[in-house]
Amino acid sequence: MSSAVPPVTPAPRPSARLLWLAVAALLALHYALAVGSKLRESTTSDELVHLTGGYTFDHLRDYRLHPENGILPQRLAALPAVLGGAKFPPLDHNEYWRTSDAWVIGHEFFYETGEDHFPRLMAGRALIALFSVATGLLVFLWSRQLFGDAGALVSLIFFVFEPSFLAHGALATSDVCAAFFLLASVGAWWRHLHDGRARWWWLSATAFALACVAKYSAPLLLPMFVLLALVRAVAAEPLTLLGRAWTTRGGKFGAAALSALGHGAVAALVIWVFFGFRFSAANPALPPFEHFIRPWEWLDANLGTPGRILRAVAAAHLLPEGYLYGFAYVLETAQIRAAFLNGEFSNTGWPGFFVWAFALKSTLPLLLASAAAFAVLVRRSRAEWYRFTPLAVLFVVYWAFSITSHLNIGHRHILPIYPVLFIATGALGPWLAAWRKGPALVVAALLGWHAAESLSVAPHFLAYFNELAGGPENGHRHLVDSSLDWGQDLPGLKSWLDANAQPGEPVYLSYFGTGEPDYYEIRARRLMFVNGFKLPAPPLAQLEPGVYCISATMLEQVYSPVRGPWTLAFEQEFQAARSVERELVEFAGNPQKRAELERDAPKEKWESAAQRYEWLRLARLCHYLRVRGPDANVGYSIFIYRLGADELHAATAGSLQDWSGLIERAVNQRGR
């Protein structure tokens, strides 16, 4: 036995201890702010299907529900529900199970089993928030490698207080998980191209594989890998891969290509693992499967060549059916999707959508710090820029994809570019470390301003808009849906009504989201909703003076069949429908009268006419309310209006002259 004394690891320097204590405290603060802000938020639209799908993946070993948004975060978020023995809706004779309708099954799972969904939702949120913390840690480590301790702290502080990461970091969705794995995969691949040891190959391959099950944005890593391999091939240093040193450009690129094929094999294995090594999406031991929510044939008709390729891969059983269907679903639904930007509407989006979203939803100090960092970086040497290459490639490729995307439904889709900005701001760290009076004060002021911007809107981080947008109270004029109004503020609405609504005062609600007002004991007459549950439309409401609660997405009528400017054609259609309003109300609420009316026209025609009239009436009302302005708001996403008899009549039942006069008076009052 050797008598040698094992070496003693030196204790960390006090400065190192303080640094890591500061990092731990900042990341803990980020976690507390993100998770704490969700304690008073109802389920956001997509969380319902993420958690429901994840439960069926974990517990039922079935992959028919919602495979299109990343199986890894869904399975993780659903673990508390599975471990807690959550009750799932009956599957026998359930038509929505047969047709894979995750939205209706999700409503049943959350609100119709007799169990409280909120504790398991919060537990899922708390687990997903770990990905946000991991992103912050990766930002710190990468910035420290490039810019030292001071730069790393600057980067970390910008991350910790970024409103968008605080908004989405603790939601049971896939956006932050995808942002983490995109950043980690690009970094690991670049490190692997410079260090031929097996550990880095396995780390890179694993990061890429997990990115593939985090979200379907993972294929964007392929052009990033190619560009980074080209840059590495041009560099003078030899590339050590596959047990040998490659010196020619062709040899280096070829070795990287072979390594990438190995990455693909690992990714395929991980995908099969997550789908239980079964090709079929449906578990044959469960009640039968008729088709996905959009049948394969529907996707085939709309996807062209990409669809034929995916079907060929499915026919060969190269990857699980659920994974391939999810990919096809994402491609098909991204082609045409209703979108809203700065008061305009589109079905195919705008090249400038994400540019606007970035400009309006980022804090001004982050934008200024990023510009200053770029000014610093452009003066750095080529060798220093070379180290920044993977971040630049991630930023450029992701932006190129975003600008050409037709899926313009939320600022959250560009979250992966923000870590690049956070890391880049680390270039300002030396100013802070040197404590030169002017530059140091500027950096400290930017950090303080950034934190103050975020905390000023807490806990409503999703509603953050900067001064260019006019602040959060004007955000709905620019962006809605998951950029502002994702259905999160039902608890706040309940509190407002309890404090402000008069006993017996009529309350009306038009809500966008998957939350259930009844769960929060919100006693409101329902106007038209957008929720995708395929539940019966609310009966035609007879409008009375009272409190009208309209969520931002409904106020802007983004997903309404009656959207855009109120035209003369809409007005004529509305007046024609209003002339039979009494019959429509009686059809909805008087069984005896309904039988008489069905002798004149079939039931379906009366129901269709009633729904169309509801949409027309709501659109006419919302057009006026957008001009009038709210009396109050809840979380900047639900707007409250107290409407008197004359005002309500002119907005929803008056003539065109009554309605236009009302709008003119509202314009004059707002101009005073």
Side-chain angles (χ1 to χ4, degrees):
M1 179 181 296
S2 172
S3 60
V5 178
V8 177
T9 302
R13 298 189 311 273
S15 58
R17 279 204 204 92
L18 289 175
L19 175 68
W20 284 107
L21 283 173
V23 170
L26 285 167
L27 290 175
L29 176 60
H30 176 82
Y31 187 86
L33 287 171
V35 176
S37 70
K38 305 301 179 288
L39 293 170
R40 289 282 297 163
E41 288 190 358
S42 46
T43 175
T44 58
S45 290
D46 288 9
E47 285 183 297
L48 178 137
V49 286
H50 276 261
L51 204 64
T52 302
Y55 182 90
T56 61
F57 304 157
D58 287 342
H59 187 62
L60 301 179
R61 303 294 186 264
D62 192 282
Y63 310 100
R64 72 184 74 182
L65 296 184
H66 203 250
E68 65 267 19
N69 249 307
I71 189 171
L72 166 59
Q74 291 185 86
R75 295 193 78 150
L76 180 63
L79 272 179
V82 173
L83 297 176
K87 182 180 179 182
F88 203 69
L91 302 182
D92 289 322
H93 312 296
N94 189 326
E95 64 174 298
Y96 301 111
W97 177 252
R98 291 199 311 273
T99 57
S100 311
D101 196 327
W103 299 95
V104 180
I105 294 289
H107 189 273
E108 294 175 349
F109 182 40
F110 271 48
Y111 304 112
E112 299 175 30
T113 63
E115 295 182 344
D116 188 357
H117 75 281
F118 194 71
R120 59 183 182 243
L121 174 63
M122 279 305 304
R125 288 170 165 177
L127 285 177
I128 294 298
L130 297 176
F131 284 116
S132 194
V133 171
T135 303
L137 181 59
L138 187 54
V139 163
F140 172 81
L141 293 173
W142 203 326
S143 182
R144 191 184 190 205
Q145 185 183 56
L146 293 174
F147 307 116
D149 291 350
L153 283 175
V154 170
S155 297
L156 182 59
I157 291 170
F158 272 115
F159 164 80
V160 165
F161 293 103
E162 170 56 37
S164 295
F165 269 85
L166 290 170
H168 294 282
L171 292 179
T173 57
S174 58
D175 297 299
V176 169
C177 178
F180 169 74
F181 280 111
L182 285 173
L183 183 67
S185 187
V186 165
W189 171 253
W190 185 246
R191 181 63 181 264
H192 158 60
L193 292 179
H194 292 81
D195 189 330
R197 287 178 292 178
R199 70 180 72 168
W200 289 109
W201 187 91
W202 280 108
L203 180 62
S204 179
T206 302
F208 174 71
L210 293 176
C212 289
V213 290
K215 200 172 183 180
Y216 284 103
S217 52
L220 292 176
L221 287 167
L222 300 179
M224 296 179 199
F225 282 11
V226 170
L227 288 173
L228 292 174
L230 286 171
V231 171
R232 182 64 182 92
V234 171
E237 296 81 6
L239 172 63
T240 302
L241 286 180
L242 307 175
R244 59 172 289 187
W246 305 84
T247 56
T248 66
R249 292 179 178 180
K252 287 188 277 189
F253 186 79
L258 287 174
S259 175
L261 288 176
H263 281 57
V266 173
L269 176 62
V270 169
I271 291 168
W272 279 107
V273 168
F274 271 85
F275 283 85
F277 288 103
R278 192 183 70 232
F279 172 76
S280 174
N283 185 341
L286 298 176
F289 172 58
E290 189 172 314
H291 60 73
F292 288 107
I293 190 168
R294 289 195 181 189
W296 267 113
E297 294 73 19
W298 175 292
L299 304 185
D300 291 341
N302 295 312
L303 280 180
T305 299
R308 288 190 289 273
I309 293 173
L310 288 170
R311 290 287 260 173
V313 174
H317 289 202
L318 297 180
L319 289 172
E321 180 187 28
Y323 185 81
L324 295 171
Y325 173 83
F327 194 20
Y329 184 94
V330 168
L331 292 177
E332 196 274 335
T333 55
Q335 294 177 351
I336 297 178
R337 184 74 176 266
F340 174 82
L341 174 65
N342 296 336
E344 296 183 2
F345 302 86
S346 174
N347 286 325
T348 55
W350 304 266
F353 177 87
F354 287 112
V355 177
W356 273 105
F358 174 71
L360 299 177
K361 294 278 292 177
S362 304
T363 71
L364 292 184
L366 176 62
L367 296 178
L368 292 172
S370 300
F374 180 76
V376 170
L377 289 170
V378 294
R379 292 182 292 179
R380 295 290 179 94
S381 67
R382 181 179 297 180
E384 290 176 300
W385 260 105
Y386 181 80
R387 298 172 66 201
F388 204 78
T389 299
L391 295 168
V393 167
L394 171 59
F395 190 84
V396 171
V397 171
Y398 202 92
W399 259 121
F401 165 77
S402 300
I403 289 172
T404 58
S405 171
H406 297 300
L407 191 64
N408 292 175
I409 59 173
H411 170 256
R412 62 192 170 92
H413 289 291
I414 57 170
L415 281 185
I417 70 166
Y418 279 88
V420 177
L421 297 181
F422 302 145
I423 293 169
T425 62
L428 306 180
W431 294 2
L432 198 61
W435 202 247
R436 302 171 195 157
K437 186 175 181 182
L441 291 177
V442 169
V443 176
L446 289 173
L447 291 171
W449 182 11
H450 178 72
E453 283 284 296
S454 186
L455 295 176
S456 70
V457 78
H460 309 295
F461 297 112
L462 187 61
Y464 178 80
F465 283 81
N466 64 29
E467 293 83 351
L468 298 176
E473 56 275 358
N474 287 298
H476 69 283
R477 303 182 188 278
H478 305 281
L479 300 166
V480 289
D481 202 312
S482 60
S483 299
L484 166 66
D485 168 36
W486 223 8
Q488 70 273 15
D489 280 319
L490 286 181
L493 177 61
K494 169 62 174 173
S495 297
W496 190 94
L497 291 172
D498 287 347
N500 296 280
Q502 303 300 318
E505 184 177 25
V507 176
Y508 295 84
L509 174 62
S510 179
Y511 166 72
F512 174 76
T514 56
E516 175 51 62
D518 289 346
Y519 172 81
Y520 297 98
E521 298 182 344
I522 296 173
R523 307 306 178 202
R525 306 176 193 181
R526 301 193 183 192
L527 303 174
M528 295 306 284
F529 278 39
V530 173
N531 54 29
F533 296 151
K534 296 183 180 177
L535 299 177
L540 185 62
Q542 292 183 285
L543 305 184
E544 300 178 25
V547 176
Y548 284 73
C549 311
I550 316 287
S551 64
T553 308
M554 299 304 301
L555 181 68
E556 299 295 345
Q557 293 287 283
V558 178
Y559 300 115
S560 164
V562 186
R563 65 176 187 166
W566 186 258
T567 64
L568 182 59
F570 282 151
E571 178 66 20
Q572 290 171 341
E573 185 183 2
F574 168 75
Q575 294 294 348
R578 195 174 69 83
S579 67
V580 294
E581 179 181 16
R582 187 182 67 178
E583 288 83 354
L584 294 173
V585 172
E586 289 179 334
F587 178 84
N590 186 334
Q592 182 177 353
K593 187 65 176 178
R594 181 185 308 153
E596 296 177 15
L597 292 170
E598 286 182 0
R599 289 196 290 268
D600 298 327
K603 172 185 176 183
E604 293 76 16
K605 187 172 182 178
W606 283 106
E607 290 176 342
S608 176
Q611 285 192 41
R612 181 66 179 178
Y613 177 55
E614 279 269 51
W615 280 117
L616 285 162
R617 187 174 62 177
L618 180 61
R620 195 179 196 250
L621 173 62
C622 287
H623 189 93
Y624 162 64
L625 295 178
R626 290 197 295 271
V627 177
R628 175 193 188 272
D631 298 310
N633 75 74
V634 176
Y636 307 103
S637 79
I638 299 178
F639 298 96
I640 313 293
Y641 308 85
R642 251 197 181 91
L643 302 181
D646 292 342
E647 183 182 22
L648 180 65
H649 180 271
T652 63
S655 66
L656 178 59
Q657 291 75 19
D658 295 335
W659 181 74
S660 58
L662 187 68
I663 290 178
E664 185 176 349
R665 289 192 295 275
V667 171
N668 291 335
Q669 289 174 0
R670 293 194 69 177
R672 291 174 185 171

PDB file of all heavy atoms in Angstrom, residues 329-337 347 405-407:
ATOM      1  N   TYR A 329     -47.741  17.739 -38.072  1.00  0.00           N
ATOM      2  CA  TYR A 329     -48.759  18.663 -37.575  1.00  0.00           C
ATOM      3  C   TYR A 329     -48.190  20.071 -37.437  1.00  0.00           C
ATOM      4  O   TYR A 329     -48.837  21.063 -37.807  1.00  0.00           O
ATOM      5  CB  TYR A 329     -49.278  18.161 -36.228  1.00  0.00           C
ATOM      6  CG  TYR A 329     -50.407  18.981 -35.647  1.00  0.00           C
ATOM      7  CD1 TYR A 329     -51.723  18.618 -35.877  1.00  0.00           C
ATOM      8  CD2 TYR A 329     -50.158  20.110 -34.866  1.00  0.00           C
ATOM      9  CE1 TYR A 329     -52.772  19.354 -35.340  1.00  0.00           C
ATOM     10  CE2 TYR A 329     -51.180  20.859 -34.337  1.00  0.00           C
ATOM     11  CZ  TYR A 329     -52.493  20.472 -34.570  1.00  0.00           C
ATOM     12  OH  TYR A 329     -53.524  21.227 -34.044  1.00  0.00           O
ATOM     13  N   VAL A 330     -46.976  20.174 -36.909  1.00  0.00           N
ATOM     14  CA  VAL A 330     -46.342  21.481 -36.755  1.00  0.00           C
ATOM     15  C   VAL A 330     -46.149  22.144 -38.116  1.00  0.00           C
ATOM     16  O   VAL A 330     -46.436  23.334 -38.301  1.00  0.00           O
ATOM     17  CB  VAL A 330     -44.995  21.340 -36.022  1.00  0.00           C
ATOM     18  CG1 VAL A 330     -44.192  22.631 -36.104  1.00  0.00           C
ATOM     19  CG2 VAL A 330     -45.232  20.972 -34.563  1.00  0.00           C
ATOM     20  N   LEU A 331     -45.653  21.384 -39.097  1.00  0.00           N
ATOM     21  CA  LEU A 331     -45.441  21.943 -40.429  1.00  0.00           C
ATOM     22  C   LEU A 331     -46.746  22.421 -41.050  1.00  0.00           C
ATOM     23  O   LEU A 331     -46.808  23.503 -41.653  1.00  0.00           O
ATOM     24  CB  LEU A 331     -44.788  20.899 -41.342  1.00  0.00           C
ATOM     25  CG  LEU A 331     -43.345  20.497 -41.021  1.00  0.00           C
ATOM     26  CD1 LEU A 331     -42.887  19.401 -41.975  1.00  0.00           C
ATOM     27  CD2 LEU A 331     -42.409  21.695 -41.108  1.00  0.00           C
ATOM     28  N   GLU A 332     -47.799  21.631 -40.908  1.00  0.00           N
ATOM     29  CA  GLU A 332     -49.068  21.983 -41.556  1.00  0.00           C
ATOM     30  C   GLU A 332     -49.726  23.186 -40.904  1.00  0.00           C
ATOM     31  O   GLU A 332     -50.191  24.104 -41.586  1.00  0.00           O
ATOM     32  CB  GLU A 332     -50.009  20.768 -41.518  1.00  0.00           C
ATOM     33  CG  GLU A 332     -51.188  20.861 -42.477  1.00  0.00           C
ATOM     34  CD  GLU A 332     -52.365  21.610 -41.885  1.00  0.00           C
ATOM     35  OE1 GLU A 332     -52.480  21.636 -40.643  1.00  0.00           O
ATOM     36  OE2 GLU A 332     -53.172  22.164 -42.662  1.00  0.00           O
ATOM     37  N   THR A 333     -49.779  23.204 -39.580  1.00  0.00           N
ATOM     38  CA  THR A 333     -50.471  24.296 -38.896  1.00  0.00           C
ATOM     39  C   THR A 333     -49.690  25.605 -38.966  1.00  0.00           C
ATOM     40  O   THR A 333     -50.260  26.673 -38.737  1.00  0.00           O
ATOM     41  CB  THR A 333     -50.732  23.944 -37.420  1.00  0.00           C
ATOM     42  OG1 THR A 333     -49.496  23.583 -36.787  1.00  0.00           O
ATOM     43  CG2 THR A 333     -51.710  22.790 -37.313  1.00  0.00           C
ATOM     44  N   ALA A 334     -48.398  25.542 -39.270  1.00  0.00           N
ATOM     45  CA  ALA A 334     -47.597  26.763 -39.372  1.00  0.00           C
ATOM     46  C   ALA A 334     -47.802  27.481 -40.699  1.00  0.00           C
ATOM     47  O   ALA A 334     -47.345  28.614 -40.862  1.00  0.00           O
ATOM     48  CB  ALA A 334     -46.124  26.436 -39.188  1.00  0.00           C
ATOM     49  N   GLN A 335     -48.473  26.853 -41.652  1.00  0.00           N
ATOM     50  CA  GLN A 335     -48.633  27.469 -42.969  1.00  0.00           C
ATOM     51  C   GLN A 335     -49.642  28.608 -42.937  1.00  0.00           C
ATOM     52  O   GLN A 335     -49.402  29.678 -43.504  1.00  0.00           O
ATOM     53  CB  GLN A 335     -49.058  26.414 -43.990  1.00  0.00           C
ATOM     54  CG  GLN A 335     -47.999  25.367 -44.254  1.00  0.00           C
ATOM     55  CD  GLN A 335     -48.465  24.296 -45.221  1.00  0.00           C
ATOM     56  OE1 GLN A 335     -49.642  24.230 -45.591  1.00  0.00           O
ATOM     57  NE2 GLN A 335     -47.557  23.442 -45.644  1.00  0.00           N
ATOM     58  N   ILE A 336     -50.768  28.367 -42.297  1.00  0.00           N
ATOM     59  CA  ILE A 336     -51.823  29.378 -42.220  1.00  0.00           C
ATOM     60  C   ILE A 336     -52.309  29.429 -40.782  1.00  0.00           C
ATOM     61  O   ILE A 336     -52.768  28.422 -40.236  1.00  0.00           O
ATOM     62  CB  ILE A 336     -52.997  29.052 -43.164  1.00  0.00           C
ATOM     63  CG1 ILE A 336     -52.530  29.072 -44.626  1.00  0.00           C
ATOM     64  CG2 ILE A 336     -54.129  30.052 -42.974  1.00  0.00           C
ATOM     65  CD1 ILE A 336     -53.619  28.718 -45.620  1.00  0.00           C
ATOM     66  N   ARG A 337     -52.196  30.598 -40.169  1.00  0.00           N
ATOM     67  CA  ARG A 337     -52.630  30.756 -38.787  1.00  0.00           C
ATOM     68  C   ARG A 337     -52.979  32.219 -38.573  1.00  0.00           C
ATOM     69  O   ARG A 337     -52.214  33.110 -38.943  1.00  0.00           O
ATOM     70  CB  ARG A 337     -51.506  30.332 -37.833  1.00  0.00           C
ATOM     71  CG  ARG A 337     -51.851  30.366 -36.359  1.00  0.00           C
ATOM     72  CD  ARG A 337     -52.751  29.215 -35.966  1.00  0.00           C
ATOM     73  NE  ARG A 337     -52.992  29.194 -34.542  1.00  0.00           N
ATOM     74  CZ  ARG A 337     -52.280  28.472 -33.665  1.00  0.00           C
ATOM     75  NH1 ARG A 337     -51.296  27.713 -34.103  1.00  0.00           N
ATOM     76  NH2 ARG A 337     -52.557  28.510 -32.385  1.00  0.00           N
ATOM     77  N   ASN A 347     -53.421  35.923 -42.126  1.00  0.00           N
ATOM     78  CA  ASN A 347     -53.442  34.470 -41.969  1.00  0.00           C
ATOM     79  C   ASN A 347     -52.075  33.845 -42.233  1.00  0.00           C
ATOM     80  O   ASN A 347     -51.883  32.660 -41.970  1.00  0.00           O
ATOM     81  CB  ASN A 347     -54.464  33.848 -42.920  1.00  0.00           C
ATOM     82  CG  ASN A 347     -55.883  34.089 -42.455  1.00  0.00           C
ATOM     83  OD1 ASN A 347     -56.168  34.112 -41.261  1.00  0.00           O
ATOM     84  ND2 ASN A 347     -56.796  34.276 -43.398  1.00  0.00           N
ATOM     85  N   SER A 405     -41.045  32.749 -40.926  1.00  0.00           N
ATOM     86  CA  SER A 405     -42.099  31.890 -40.396  1.00  0.00           C
ATOM     87  C   SER A 405     -43.475  32.544 -40.545  1.00  0.00           C
ATOM     88  O   SER A 405     -43.627  33.755 -40.400  1.00  0.00           O
ATOM     89  CB  SER A 405     -41.849  31.590 -38.916  1.00  0.00           C
ATOM     90  OG  SER A 405     -42.953  30.930 -38.335  1.00  0.00           O
ATOM     91  N   HIS A 406     -44.481  31.718 -40.850  1.00  0.00           N
ATOM     92  CA  HIS A 406     -45.867  32.191 -40.908  1.00  0.00           C
ATOM     93  C   HIS A 406     -46.566  32.058 -39.556  1.00  0.00           C
ATOM     94  O   HIS A 406     -47.701  32.510 -39.412  1.00  0.00           O
ATOM     95  CB  HIS A 406     -46.658  31.389 -41.950  1.00  0.00           C
ATOM     96  CG  HIS A 406     -46.150  31.550 -43.344  1.00  0.00           C
ATOM     97  ND1 HIS A 406     -46.096  32.760 -43.991  1.00  0.00           N
ATOM     98  CD2 HIS A 406     -45.654  30.639 -44.228  1.00  0.00           C
ATOM     99  CE1 HIS A 406     -45.610  32.600 -45.209  1.00  0.00           C
ATOM    100  NE2 HIS A 406     -45.326  31.324 -45.373  1.00  0.00           N
ATOM    101  N   LEU A 407     -45.909  31.422 -38.594  1.00  0.00           N
ATOM    102  CA  LEU A 407     -46.528  31.179 -37.292  1.00  0.00           C
ATOM    103  C   LEU A 407     -46.269  32.385 -36.389  1.00  0.00           C
ATOM    104  O   LEU A 407     -45.376  32.368 -35.540  1.00  0.00           O
ATOM    105  CB  LEU A 407     -45.967  29.892 -36.677  1.00  0.00           C
ATOM    106  CG  LEU A 407     -46.698  29.353 -35.437  1.00  0.00           C
ATOM    107  CD1 LEU A 407     -48.118  28.960 -35.781  1.00  0.00           C
ATOM    108  CD2 LEU A 407     -45.950  28.161 -34.862  1.00  0.00           C
TER     109      LEU A 407
END
